[in-house]
Amino acid sequence: DARARCGVVLDAGFSFAHATPIFDARVMRKGVRRVNLGGKALTNYLKELVSYRQWNMMDEYVLMDDVKEKLCYVVVDARIELKRAKLRGAANQVNREYVLPDGVNVLRGYVKSGPARDPDAEESDDDDPDEGGGARKKKKKAAGKRRRASGA
């Protein structure tokens, strides 16, 4: 018989998780464990991470729970997944964009299909003068051309 004779059932809930060992199709009651860690803690941690890096989402539990349910997943080998996440451009199948609801056009947040926009790509917002973008450079080039044309 090639079937597995043992295993573990992991039930991750809202406030806690249970690990239940199985042997010979029977629950090993002495091995059942409860951990006071569940999906709520993960959502709160996600709110903290996003609030630290982007916008303040500490009061947006429902929205961040939706982000978690649509984008978070478990991997077998974290090292391989981290390598996949470091790929650039369309080769990166890990990076995704979540469109936030605006209450007018987008009533519910959703995950954009296809690869996410690479924030480190060569293309940048050239019209943002605060970021050293091209708007300031374009103005300098235009001023230089005017000086040459006037003979200065």
Side-chain angles (χ1 to χ4, degrees):
D1 184 82
R3 294 186 323 189
R5 296 183 57 203
C6 62
V8 175
V9 175
L10 181 63
D11 177 23
F14 182 73
S15 298
F16 46 81
H18 284 102
T20 307
I22 309 290
F23 184 73
D24 277 340
R26 293 191 176 118
V27 173
M28 304 299 297
R29 293 199 183 278
K30 288 186 179 184
V32 175
R33 296 289 180 262
R34 172 183 161 158
V35 178
N36 291 325
L37 182 69
K40 180 180 177 184
L42 182 59
T43 301
N44 288 337
Y45 182 61
L46 186 60
K47 287 190 321 185
E48 217 173 283
L49 287 175
V50 172
S51 294
Y52 177 73
R53 296 189 58 142
Q54 301 291 331
W55 299 279
N56 184 5
M57 292 288 186
M58 293 308 289
D59 295 331
E60 300 292 340
Y61 183 84
V62 173
L63 179 64
M64 294 312 297
D65 195 51
D66 188 48
V67 170
K68 176 190 74 174
E69 289 177 5
K70 290 179 178 172
L71 293 171
C72 294
Y73 59 97
V74 177
V75 298
V76 174
D77 190 339
R79 289 182 188 174
I80 291 173
E81 197 68 9
L82 286 172
K83 286 179 185 176
R84 286 182 57 213
K86 289 180 181 178
L87 295 174
R88 300 277 182 191
N92 187 326
Q93 296 297 315
V94 177
N95 193 10
R96 293 284 177 246
E97 283 187 57
Y98 184 88
V99 178
L100 294 171
D102 62 6
V104 178
N105 297 320
V106 180
L107 298 178
R108 293 189 60 162
Y110 65 94
V111 179
K112 268 190 174 178
S113 61
R117 183 182 61 85
D118 187 0
D120 297 329
E122 293 295 321
E123 301 173 19
S124 64
D125 290 337
D126 283 344
D127 20 307
D128 190 357
D130 295 336
E131 295 295 325
R136 194 178 309 143
K137 292 175 189 173
K138 289 175 189 171
K139 288 178 185 176
K140 286 181 182 178
K141 283 182 184 178
K145 286 179 184 176
R146 273 188 253 129
R147 277 190 230 133
R148 279 188 236 127
S150 66

